[in-house]
Amino acid sequence: MVESEEGSVDGGRRQQSGIMRFLSSLLWAALLIEQVLGEYGMAHFSDGGSSKGKDYCIFFNSQWARLPQDLSKAARLQTYDLTTSVLCSPSDVPEGGFPNSIPMVMRGNCTFYEKVRLAQINGAKGLLIVSKDRLTPPSGNKSQYEEIGIPVALLSYKDMLDISKTFGEKRQVAMYAPKEPVVDYNMVLIFLMAVGTVAVGGYWAGSRDIKKRYMKHKRDDGAEKQDEETVDVTPIMICVFVVMCCSMLVLLYFFYDHLVYMTIATFCLASAVGLYSCLWPFVRRIPFGKCRIPENNLPYCHKRPQVRTLILSAFCIAVSVTWGVFRNEDQWAWILQDALGIAFCLYMLKTIRLPTFKACTLLLVVLFVYDVFFVFITPLLTESGESIMVEVAAGPSDSSTHEKLPMVLKVPRLNSSPLVLCDRPFSLLGFGDILVPGLLVAYCHRFDILMQTSRIYFLACTIGYGIGLLITFVALALMQMGQPALLYLVPCTLLTSLAVALWRKELPLFWTGSGFVEGFGVNLRNKTVISNVCNCS
């Protein structure tokens, strides 16, 4: 349903826009097919005559009137506080009008055009509409755009309260829209973290899996044995997993405020386990703390674990709890979240095992469809026209908790941008975009060791992942909208692995995973498997 104040944007135009966005993304178009109506900008408020001020996020439509890109070129005008009114009729206009000023009025009761027309007739040089709801593009039709010559923008109600508290009655405002950088430097950090996690996780998982099968040795405690356990994924498990993902995503979309805390608690627990799994191979080399605790009846301690395992467990839990308590400290909490997230991804890549390329293909193709559907198709099905995936990943703007899901790598924007002020200060990459291709990379590494191929499958698939991630970033920069990363990552990794198998004429073995399922005490194509696997523990 479209609110009355959004002008003449009807359901048909919204549906057409969504379809065009979907097709353009599939074709990797260089430009958007339909012009974006909503743009982020800044409103710089200051007290009269003061050089100091503060920027606030605004959402405007350049089809009404364009804003300058530099603050120095923007006119500083007096504001007129009319937030007790919605400015929908001439009776709402004060005596004398708004000569050379920018009124601030509340949203509601009439269209954007009616508000800005009354403001322009009465001498206003711009209009700020205060909204308690989501900031939507102040749209109109072509004739209305031609009639209006002053800028109109939406300002959040929360920012309006802060403005009233911070500045006096003679406050001034200058509206401007700095140019968005095509690519933010934080993408380099996300790229390095993602590719590094996939490479390290795939290498570690493959080496540990082969070593476990070939080298039977005594383990000094139960902790290491537990650390080496793996779970083979079956087609039924893949189907159940995808159904659970779809259900959870839809539930989060409708009941975000109720389920977000459960997700945060789950992440704290899972990331602590993952961090322990990643640090234990280093801690076990320390020659201290090998003594065991005295006999006791305490839970989880009756087997008398080593002192160093208890210290490591306490450390991992402390790191996870620290993030949980200070997760909303944007200046530094993202570093802890990324470290815990990488540890979690490495643990999952080491634990979950795809036994055949057939299983890899099934998982990646099904999740490819899942990702594309929830990013590009769901805007046609939701009332707001927003993507379910993007809304859940970034956190709904109308959420009362203002919590964000932690299942993403996040890096703050390093370039000056209005998005930093507009509740989008981070670039995000979901864990699924690391784990799903990473499982294929791990399979390739195991096959490399089995076939003694100098890790050609592993390297090719890892490079394919990096190329797919770069294509994702290019698509994001060109289309200026959230992208389903698996749309690019799945073809790049699957096709690369398939091409290597065809080139080496090993597709039947690669497809069925021969040697993984039946055991490794066989010779394949007259090749004897050598068991001197690298000790990566």
Side-chain angles (χ1 to χ4, degrees), residues 80 82 87 90-98 122:
Y80 194 107
L82 199 64
L87 193 62
S91 61
D92 295 328
V93 179
E95 186 177 352
F98 316 105
N122 289 275

Side-chain angles (χ1 to χ4, degrees), residues 253-480:
Y253 181 75
F254 288 105
F255 306 103
Y256 185 87
D257 291 338
H258 298 86
L259 296 177
V260 66
Y261 290 110
M262 183 186 74
T263 307
I264 291 172
T266 302
F267 174 75
C268 287
L269 177 62
S271 62
V273 174
L275 186 61
Y276 179 94
S277 176
C278 292
L279 294 180
W280 172 245
F282 302 98
V283 173
R284 67 188 295 265
R285 286 176 167 78
I286 299 176
F288 308 105
K290 292 184 179 181
C291 57
R292 298 182 181 274
I293 65 173
E295 292 186 4
N296 61 85
N297 294 322
L298 297 175
Y300 305 107
C301 295
H302 62 279
K303 293 184 178 180
R304 300 182 60 200
Q306 295 179 356
V307 171
R308 60 184 180 179
T309 63
L310 293 180
I311 295 175
L312 178 59
S313 299
F315 172 77
C316 294
I317 293 173
V319 172
S320 180
V321 170
T322 300
W323 173 84
V325 173
F326 299 101
R327 63 186 179 276
N328 293 319
E329 296 291 333
D330 287 345
Q331 291 184 346
W332 58 269
W334 64 272
I335 300 176
L336 272 186
Q337 178 173 323
D338 288 349
L340 290 170
I342 290 173
F344 169 76
C345 290
L346 291 175
Y347 171 71
M348 295 299 291
L349 289 175
K350 182 169 65 72
T351 303
I352 299 174
R353 193 177 75 102
L354 292 171
T356 66
F357 185 64
K358 178 170 63 176
C360 294
T361 303
L362 176 62
L363 177 65
L364 268 66
V365 169
V366 171
L367 290 178
F368 169 92
V369 175
Y370 158 85
D371 213 17
V372 171
F373 175 81
F374 278 101
V375 174
F376 286 143
I377 303 299
T378 52
L380 307 178
L381 307 176
T382 58
E383 291 184 0
S384 62
E386 298 290 341
S387 160
I388 290 180
M389 182 75 76
V390 174
E391 279 286 285
V392 171
S397 58
D398 56 353
S399 170
S400 60
T401 63
H402 300 290
E403 294 283 358
K404 308 294 183 183
L405 288 182
M407 311 303 286
V408 293
L409 294 182
K410 56 189 293 188
V411 179
R413 295 181 181 273
L414 303 179
N415 291 336
S416 177
S417 167
L419 297 180
V420 177
L421 292 176
C422 297
D423 202 30
R424 291 174 60 191
F426 293 91
S427 293
L428 311 175
L429 182 70
F431 289 169
D433 302 325
I434 297 174
L435 289 174
V436 176
L439 293 173
L440 174 58
V441 173
Y443 174 81
C444 288
H445 188 217
R446 292 200 308 274
F447 193 80
D448 275 325
I449 296 175
L450 178 67
M451 302 298 294
Q452 305 175 54
T453 56
S454 302
R455 299 189 175 87
I456 186 172
Y457 285 92
F458 169 74
L459 292 174
C461 195
T462 302
I463 293 172
Y465 177 82
I467 293 174
L469 199 58
L470 289 176
I471 294 174
T472 304
F473 292 160
V474 171
L476 182 66
L478 293 178
M479 300 177 191
Q480 293 295 309

Side-chain angles (χ1 to χ4, degrees), residues 186-237:
N186 62 2
M187 292 297 184
V188 177
L189 293 179
I190 289 182
F191 178 85
L192 293 176
M193 286 192 296
V195 175
T197 302
V198 166
V200 173
Y203 185 88
W204 190 16
S207 298
R208 292 295 293 272
D209 184 73
I210 300 298
K211 176 192 169 188
K212 178 184 175 183
R213 291 178 179 271
Y214 277 105
M215 303 178 67
K216 296 182 178 180
H217 58 279
K218 294 181 180 180
R219 298 176 174 87
D220 58 354
D221 52 47
E224 184 178 354
K225 182 177 180 180
Q226 178 69 23
D227 185 57
E228 291 190 1
E229 289 183 355
T230 57
V231 177
D232 283 350
V233 177
T234 64
I236 294 178
M237 292 173 63

Side-chain angles (χ1 to χ4, degrees), residues 39-61:
E39 302 173 46
Y40 286 111
M42 296 183 183
H44 183 84
F45 280 84
S46 60
D47 285 319
S50 174
S51 59
K52 295 183 178 181
K54 184 177 179 181
D55 286 325
Y56 295 88
C57 173
I58 57 175
F59 203 42
F60 73 101
N61 182 351

